[in-house]
Amino acid sequence: MAVTDVPRIVTARLGHDDSHTLERYLATGGYEGLRKALTMTPEAVAAEVDAASLLGRGGAGFPAGRKWSMLRKDPVTYLVVNGDESEPATFKDHLLVERDPHQLIEGVLITAYALGVTQAFIYVRGEFALGLERVTQALNEAYDHGAVGTDIFGSGFSIDVVVHPGAGAYICGEETALLESLEGKRGFPRIKPPYFPAAVGLYGQPTVVNNVETMSNIPWILLHGGQAFAGLGEGRSAGTRLFALSGHVRRPGAYEVEMVKTTFRDLVYAPVYGGGVRGDGKVKAIIPGGVSAPWFGPDQLDLPLGQDEVGNAGSMLGSGAITVMDSSTCMVRAAWRITKFFARESCGQCTPCREGSGWLERVLRRIEQGEGREEDIDLLLDVSDNIAPGLQWPPQQTTICVLGPSIPSSIHSAIDMFRDEFLLHVKEGRCPGG
Amino acid sequence: MTHFDAETAARARELVKLYPEPRSALIPLCHLAQEQDGWLRPEAMEEIAALLGITPAEVRGTATFYDMLHTEPVGRYLVSVCTNIACLLGGAEGLLEHAERTLGVRAGGTTSDGMITLEDAECLAGCDRTPCVTVNHRYVGGLSPHAFDQLVADLRAGRRDGEIPPHGTLVRVRRNGGLRVDKERIAAERAATADAQAARARAAKEAAEAQGGAAEAKGGAA
Ligand SMILES: Cc1cc2nc3c(=O)[nH]c(=O)nc-3n(C[C@H](O)[C@H](O)[C@H](O)COP(=O)(O)O)c2cc1C
Ligand code: SF4
Ligand code: FES
């Protein structure tokens, strides 16, 4: 069992009850990364992050260094942090926002300095009331400490940071929808291209959007060097990653593990992580990267937790959420609930997504309630194919954002892996599991 | 046109000033209005529209997109029970049924005493303690039906009021940093920062050219 002995990067302080306070932060190396960055040129700071091979932790896994370098050719106007975390079963940014807000703020300040940005926004999911309080409090403390505001730490660099609350809409996690929301509008994703808000972002200005966990890694990278970070993990998947483990495990929770060196099996079974599967201990299926990701069976438990490794196996690490379903789980019910989520959260701009999600939800509900027909199973695949033609991974995009093409993932997986169970629902007119 | 009380109005004006464009303050102002009234009243939307220089219809049109902004009255406590995948695996459906039965309302409804609005919620990012329940967006943990009954009894008796404020109060911590600096000063400082950056870039370029262009551009802090 590979539980590697590596430094904790983003969760180093979480053992302390007062991990969110400035006192604890300063007593544990807080704002040292920022002080160091301010003695360097912005270019050198960005080079350090580039060397780290830090992949974005929000879902798409785009290298942070590369994103920044696209922008450094043109002056960047805004930095926006994505703390909207609403992908079902994902709860790692929630932890970072509540338990180590100074680390997040320090990451934002260093990034702003590297990009030459003087205005940053931290968009926090509205439901995180305590998280919003903690970040606001931390920001107030950081201002008093001289780390934010005018001439920070006497460096001549000035920056303002605004904490912005969301108001409950999954789609606002999609970065262009998030910018619309930040402009005071409905969270409608913008039509692409441009593919990145780099060129046309907030108020039409060049903007970098990065995830909370991505930002929270930056202070450590500055303090210990990009090479030290790149030395952890393997290949493109450098460093550690915070995984939100949920479902039928004995110890659900958010665990920071070394990438690639750790496998799904390690995460689910190691006593320090998931501690094994509840009930009869058998894994029926796992959802590897949030509900937008195709599922894996127990035969794939030995896959390493690495971006390319999981991608090549036909799914994704996505938002870092891993949900374990044991042998008692009704797969029709699971697929139905996930589809219901998409039907509720589709923003409605694109017909395949808006209409397709509703259809799929109704057909799945009918099967689950024992009123399904055998043809319904192929109907599900057919409607899915209309949303994401070919049902391949990664899906073909027919809509403005990738919410739509993500809808078929669970349905396709469930039918592929458990068609017999769907048939039994239809034949027996009820859930065979009871 | 003074639906907001004096303190709320003052805070509303501060919020607007935080953003490069006033309309960005729309969601924060809606939260503020809910803090005063418990929900988003038409009068509040009119006042927000005036503050932002847009129409009340634009405020309503935006607000109705968001689950947390309520254009209808809400109970003193909004009890949200997540039924999404991790909570489903942890027994959320049973809990929601229990809640509907004991409260005598369907999800989405409010008890006749106006105390509790029950909600069937999407993932609340508290999936390690299932089924996840929040009250006015404060996490109260994964609850058994018995613990749920205790929670409701406590809420009705006001025993959780210290930790759970009435509906609408999103944050109890106010921003103070940054607001002490007025906008013109921030603008002047930003301009100065931009000048310094340009100077640094020039110096770096000159230094690089002086070394035949081969040296790494490492202009010192200007
Ligand atoms: C439907 C949808 C929801 C998303 N939700 C989130 C989210 O909650 N948090 C997040 O950081 N990224 C989310 N993303 C990804 C963002 O669009 C974006 O890629 C990310 O914030 C970039 O940050 P990173 O490069 O640091 O990962 C979502 C994407 C889509 C399509
Ligand atoms: S794919 Fe769905 S969520 Fe995305 S823009 Fe289209 S309708 Fe909206
Ligand atoms: S699935 Fe219920 S809180 Fe995440």
Side-chain angles (χ1 to χ4, degrees), chain A residues 66-119:
Chain A
R66 252 188 45 222
K67 191 183 278 190
W68 299 3
S69 67
M70 289 195 302
L71 282 137
R72 262 174 296 118
K73 290 186 213 108
D74 288 313
V76 190
T77 316
Y78 299 111
L79 169 65
V80 176
V81 179
N82 191 342
D84 193 52
E85 191 172 65
S86 318
E87 176 82 16
T90 313
F91 52 96
K92 43 110 189 159
D93 295 341
H94 187 187
L95 189 76
L96 295 174
V97 161
E98 257 181 29
R99 302 285 305 283
D100 206 340
H102 280 289
Q103 176 173 261
L104 168 63
I105 290 170
E106 185 178 359
V108 171
L109 298 172
I110 295 170
T111 306
Y113 176 73
L115 295 168
V117 166
T118 57
Q119 174 75 64

Side-chain angles (χ1 to χ4, degrees), chain B residues 1 3 12 35 50-51 54 66 77 99 113 142 161 164 182 209 212 215:
Chain B
M1 250 255 322
H3 176 70
E35 185 172 333
L51 278 161
I54 58 180
Y66 297 95
Y77 301 106
D113 59 0
D161 283 1
I164 301 173
D182 66 316
E209 275 164 11

Side-chain angles (χ1 to χ4, degrees), chain A residues 143-218:
Chain A
Y143 268 107
D144 289 339
H145 188 63
V148 194
T150 313
D151 187 19
I152 64 177
F153 293 150
S155 65
F157 180 66
S158 300
I159 166 140
D160 195 36
V161 179
V162 170
V163 180
H164 185 90
Y170 165 66
I171 193 57
C172 290
E174 196 274 348
E175 58 191 4
T176 61
L178 184 137
L179 295 178
E180 288 286 304
S181 178
L182 188 48
E183 290 181 5
K185 301 175 190 149
R186 295 175 154 236
F188 283 150
R190 295 177 180 168
I191 293 175
K192 293 135 194 112
Y195 288 101
F196 289 99
V200 187
L202 188 63
Y203 314 120
Q205 302 291 313
T207 303
V208 167
V209 182
N210 269 135
N211 165 263
V212 162
E213 187 187 346
T214 313
M215 288 288 99
S216 299
N217 274 293
I218 304 287

Side-chain angles (χ1 to χ4, degrees), chain A residues 89, chain B residues 82 84-87 123-127 132:
Chain B
C82 169
N84 209 312
I85 187 69
C87 293
C123 176
L124 298 164
C127 334
C132 179

Side-chain angles (χ1 to χ4, degrees), chain A residues 170-171 174 176-177 187-192 342 345-355 357 387 397-407, chain B residues 65:
Chain A
Y170 165 66
I171 193 57
E174 196 274 348
T176 61
F188 283 150
R190 295 177 180 168
I191 293 175
K192 293 135 194 112
F342 285 120
E345 298 296 332
S346 163
C347 84
Q349 285 190 103
C350 321
T351 314
C353 172
R354 182 187 64 235
E355 302 299 325
S357 59
I387 304 177
Q397 192 161 346
T398 54
T399 49
I400 296 174
C401 86
V402 298
L403 184 148
S406 307
I407 301 170
Chain B
F65 185 82

